Amino acid sequence: MLPITLTMAGAAVLLHIWLALRCSMVRIRNKVSVGDGGNPSMLVRMRAHANFIENTPLFLILLGLIEMADGSARWLWGAGILFILARIAHAFGMDRPSPNPLRAGGMFATILVLLTLAIAAIRLAYEAGQPVVIG
């Protein structure tokens, strides 16, 4: 069982639904059926949702593999919580004029979590004596 990954996957799905509903609200209010309809609010909401979709699978894959290889380390809870909070901040930041601290901070924290998990995954593979094949 992977309690951290399961918890974060559940939180990510709830966040995904919230982001989809935010898009739907703009679609209904502005009668946009497909795409952004030239509506800046729709474009921003769609990009916030798409950015979440672009980053979350990598996060969950790395989180699950590290948890499976190294157990439920306390730092993984912190990484997971930070990722979810970063994605919420990013979504709210996308609704504000750029530059703004929510959007920038959300992306910075997202990249920080992904980078930390990537380094931890490579370190675990190396320490386990598994060859790291590049190319």
Side-chain angles (χ1 to χ4, degrees):
M1 176 125 131
L2 303 172
I4 301 169
T5 304
L6 285 170
T7 302
M8 295 309 146
V13 168
L14 294 175
L15 187 49
H16 168 75
I17 292 167
W18 174 68
L19 290 166
L21 289 172
R22 285 169 38 97
C23 287
S24 295
M25 291 180 345
V26 173
R27 281 190 188 289
I28 291 166
R29 183 175 39 229
N30 295 290
K31 297 181 172 94
V32 176
S33 177
V34 177
D36 64 24
N39 183 300
S41 295
M42 187 72 243
L43 178 61
V44 164
R45 295 276 174 100
M46 287 172 62
R47 278 308 309 147
H49 192 208
N51 191 273
F52 175 80
I53 296 302
E54 292 160 4
N55 287 285
T56 302
L58 296 172
F59 162 71
L60 290 172
I61 290 167
L62 283 170
L63 186 71
L65 291 173
I66 293 168
E67 186 177 9
M68 195 179 329
D70 200 31
S72 299
R74 188 176 306 251
W75 75 270
L76 288 176
W77 281 109
I81 291 166
L82 179 58
F83 181 85
I84 296 298
L85 292 175
R87 301 318 305 160
I88 293 168
H90 179 263
F92 281 123
M94 288 292 288
D95 284 341
R96 291 169 172 73
S98 289
N100 69 70
L102 288 175
R103 181 178 179 189
M107 275 312 303
F108 177 78
T110 296
I111 291 168
L112 179 66
V113 168
L114 289 173
L115 181 62
T116 301
L117 291 173
I119 291 168
I122 292 167
R123 181 187 57 79
L124 281 168
Y126 178 78
E127 288 175 356
Q130 302 299 317
V132 177
V133 179
I134 300 175

